[in-house]
Amino acid sequence: MRASIITVGTEILVGSILNTHAEYISNILNDLGVHVDYHISVRDNLEQIENILKGQLEKVDLIFLCGGLGPTADDMTKEAVSNVIGRSIILDEIQHKKLLKRFRESKFKMTENNLKQAMIIENSTILDNKWGIAPGEIIEYGDKKIFLLPGPPKELRPMVDEYLKYYITDNNEVVIRSLNVAGLGESVVEDKIRKLNLETKNISINTFAKFYDTEIKIIAEGRDRNSLIEKVDLIVSKLYDTFGTNIYSEGKITLNESLVKLLKEKELKISFAESITGGLLASQITSISGASSVLSESYITYSNDVKIKILGVKENTLNNYGVVSKEVAYEMAKGLRALTKSDICISTTGEAGPNPSEKEVGLNYICYYFDENKYKVVEHKFKGTRNEIQKRVCDTAILDLILMLRG
């Protein structure tokens, strides 16, 4: 079966909000064996919604319309569906009673336009909205199905989780595995995969470049799920043989989660001395449950005085080399080790911009300090906004440390 996800709302196209519905529904549909062929966003415009719906009805089996079910004049998804398929919009008595009860129990007055949220497409299947007001609907139109879902994520996501699997049946099985590869560019990763010649008629392998790594996604389709799992497992094994420790995680496990897990496994404590990253490294680690077992201490040593006072950076080093230097990064990390006795001490210093203070914007140094005989200072030059450069330094520090710990 093939599907199209249409997100309705001018606010998406003008950049006021991020469209997360397409990703969320696509993941669910993939697990159900459904191909998602289209992600479409459309303005709150009746004619545009109608035209897109007409076009998609000719191309796919399942259409998901997200948003446009509210009480205001620019909520017109139901009107567009009604016009295209030639069915009336009627008042549903059960939804009407639910709506009246909701307003009686609240402090808000029900206005006339709220009645719109109790209106449904004739002969549709109602999906009760336990998390909001406007119900979802499923309209069977010939051999097609049109799903109407509310726009707010807090309503759409639980409705998708609760109802979708009961209304989509397909004999096709889909098995998906994702590997996250670090330290190699997408072109190198792709070249190595193609030389392995692992793809078959029903198994595809694709690469996707991300901010700091490359995702390898294996998609297998067929009727026998157990057979597909065996084939995918064999491919994954060969990919591990090829990329080794450059594969830092599978699925949606983040860099931060991978590092915390690795530190736990090795029973290591870590500390940070941050200048350019301003506490971002510590924040990334503490966002992961269980970080207290690996993070010892962290210091934001933004000013030169604090670098001298807390970390023992020499004033002569600052004067001779500048704060953005490998020498200062080293002394920061060494001083942090003396202060915390942590197994791993990481320091960051650099120019985040947008205006340089002493060196070019984007220049930065990261020191990874294990002991006096085992440390490494790495220079990087990143481009982007201030926030982008800071995030890049942070992600690079985490990623490089993962690779170091894995040899």
Side-chain angles (χ1 to χ4, degrees):
M1 300 181 75
R2 316 197 82 81
S4 174
I5 302 169
I6 304 170
T7 312
V8 181
T10 301
E11 65 274 17
I12 296 169
L13 293 167
V14 299
S16 295
I17 64 171
L18 182 66
N19 177 15
T20 60
H21 294 338
E23 177 192 14
Y24 194 81
I25 297 173
S26 291
N27 282 326
I28 303 293
L29 292 177
N30 284 334
D31 291 340
L32 294 172
V34 177
H35 279 272
V36 178
D37 286 350
Y38 302 95
H39 287 174
I40 302 170
S41 294
V42 58
R43 290 177 178 271
D44 297 304
N45 180 285
L46 186 63
E47 184 179 356
Q48 290 182 20
I49 300 171
E50 289 176 2
N51 289 337
I52 287 173
L53 181 56
K54 289 175 185 176
Q56 294 305 302
L57 281 169
E58 297 177 358
K59 298 175 181 178
V60 297
D61 308 294
L62 308 172
I63 295 175
F64 295 84
L65 283 156
C66 311
L69 304 182
T72 61
D74 61 356
D75 291 309
M76 53 189 71
T77 297
K78 279 180 280 195
E79 288 82 351
V81 174
S82 171
N83 293 342
V84 170
I85 68 174
R87 292 191 198 171
S88 301
I89 298 176
I90 60 175
L91 179 68
D92 182 83
E93 289 300 332
I94 295 176
Q95 295 301 319
H96 188 203
K97 290 177 182 178
K98 179 184 173 183
L99 188 66
L100 293 173
K101 182 175 183 291
R102 185 183 182 97
F103 275 96
R104 278 197 307 270
E105 294 174 350
S106 73
K107 62 181 179 180
F108 299 104
K109 179 182 177 182
M110 179 175 165
T111 57
E112 185 178 348
N113 59 356
N114 283 119
L115 189 62
K116 188 176 178 181
Q117 293 176 287
M119 307 294 285
I120 63 166
I121 302 289
E122 186 180 16
N123 295 326
S124 68
T125 299
I126 303 300
L127 302 178
D128 187 37
N129 187 351
K130 305 170 188 175
W131 307 271
I133 298 177
E137 298 180 54
I138 302 175
I139 300 106
E140 296 195 22
Y141 182 65
D143 59 350
K144 316 285 185 177
K145 283 186 180 179
I146 304 170
F147 292 74
L148 305 186
L149 298 168
K154 66 179 181 180
E155 298 176 32
L156 178 140
R157 293 190 175 198
M159 289 183 74
V160 167
D161 292 342
E162 179 147 336
Y163 299 122
L164 215 57
K165 59 181 176 288
Y166 297 113
Y167 292 97
I168 296 176
T169 55
D170 193 348
N171 293 326
N172 194 48
E173 293 283 353
V174 177
V175 174
I176 300 175
R177 290 274 296 274
S178 292
L179 306 178
N180 302 308
V181 180
L184 300 170
E186 184 190 17
S187 59
V188 174
V189 173
E190 202 268 347
D191 182 64
K192 287 178 177 289
I193 291 172
R194 299 306 162 218
K195 288 177 180 176
L196 293 173
N197 195 28
L198 298 173
E199 290 188 303
T200 65
K201 183 179 178 181
N202 65 333
I203 299 178
S204 63
I205 304 174
N206 300 289
T207 59
F208 305 95
K210 296 185 177 181
F211 185 64
Y212 44 74
D213 62 357
T214 300
E215 178 188 7
I216 303 173
K217 189 176 287 290
I218 306 107
I219 304 174
E221 302 178 68
R223 299 300 188 192
D224 186 340
R225 186 170 187 82
N226 290 333
S227 174
L228 292 176
I229 291 172
E230 288 179 8
K231 291 176 181 178
V232 170
D233 286 346
L234 180 60
I235 289 173
V236 168
S237 177
K238 290 181 179 179
L239 291 173
Y240 268 101
D241 289 341
T242 300
F243 294 104
T245 55
N246 287 96
I247 298 175
Y248 72 83
S249 73
E250 291 194 31
K252 294 188 176 182
I253 298 176
T254 64
L255 276 175
N256 312 335
E257 291 171 313
S258 297
L259 179 57
V260 170
K261 180 182 177 183
L262 194 55
L263 292 171
K264 283 182 179 179
E265 290 173 355
K266 293 181 176 292
E267 298 182 346
L268 297 173
K269 291 281 189 178
I270 192 169
S271 290
F272 302 111
E274 303 185 56
S275 185
I276 184 175
T277 47
L280 189 57
L281 267 169
S283 176
Q284 294 283 74
I285 298 303
T286 56
S287 68
I288 306 304
S289 176
S292 59
S293 64
V294 299
L295 180 61
S296 177
E297 300 173 53
S298 184
Y299 297 87
I300 301 174
T301 55
Y302 208 67
S303 71
N304 289 352
D305 289 343
V306 172
K307 289 180 178 67
I308 295 169
K309 180 180 177 181
I310 294 180
L311 301 176
V313 175
K314 298 182 180 66
E315 191 169 352
N316 284 342
T317 305
L318 288 164
N319 293 334
N320 293 334
Y321 300 101
V323 67
V324 182
S325 63
K326 61 181 181 181
E327 290 81 8
V328 167
Y330 165 74
E331 290 191 8
M332 288 173 66
K334 183 179 179 180
L336 183 65
R337 174 61 185 270
L339 187 65
T340 65
K341 304 297 188 292
S342 294
D343 302 294
I344 306 167
C345 291
I346 295 181
S347 65
T348 64
T349 182
E351 289 275 12
N355 300 311
S357 58
E358 63 173 48
K359 303 280 178 71
E360 63 180 300
V361 172
L363 177 66
N364 64 89
Y365 295 89
I366 306 170
C367 182
Y368 309 85
Y369 193 99
F370 300 87
D371 58 48
E372 183 58 39
N373 299 313
K374 187 180 178 183
Y375 62 87
K376 184 178 183 180
V377 183
V378 184
E379 175 185 295
H380 298 282
K381 293 180 181 178
F382 297 140
K383 295 186 181 297
T385 65
R386 182 178 180 85
N387 289 340
E388 288 170 346
I389 291 171
Q390 289 175 317
K391 182 69 165 60
R392 190 79 182 273
V393 174
C394 179
D395 288 342
T396 300
I398 294 173
L399 176 56
D400 284 354
L401 181 57
I402 289 173
L403 297 179
M404 288 178 197
L405 293 175
R406 289 184 173 174

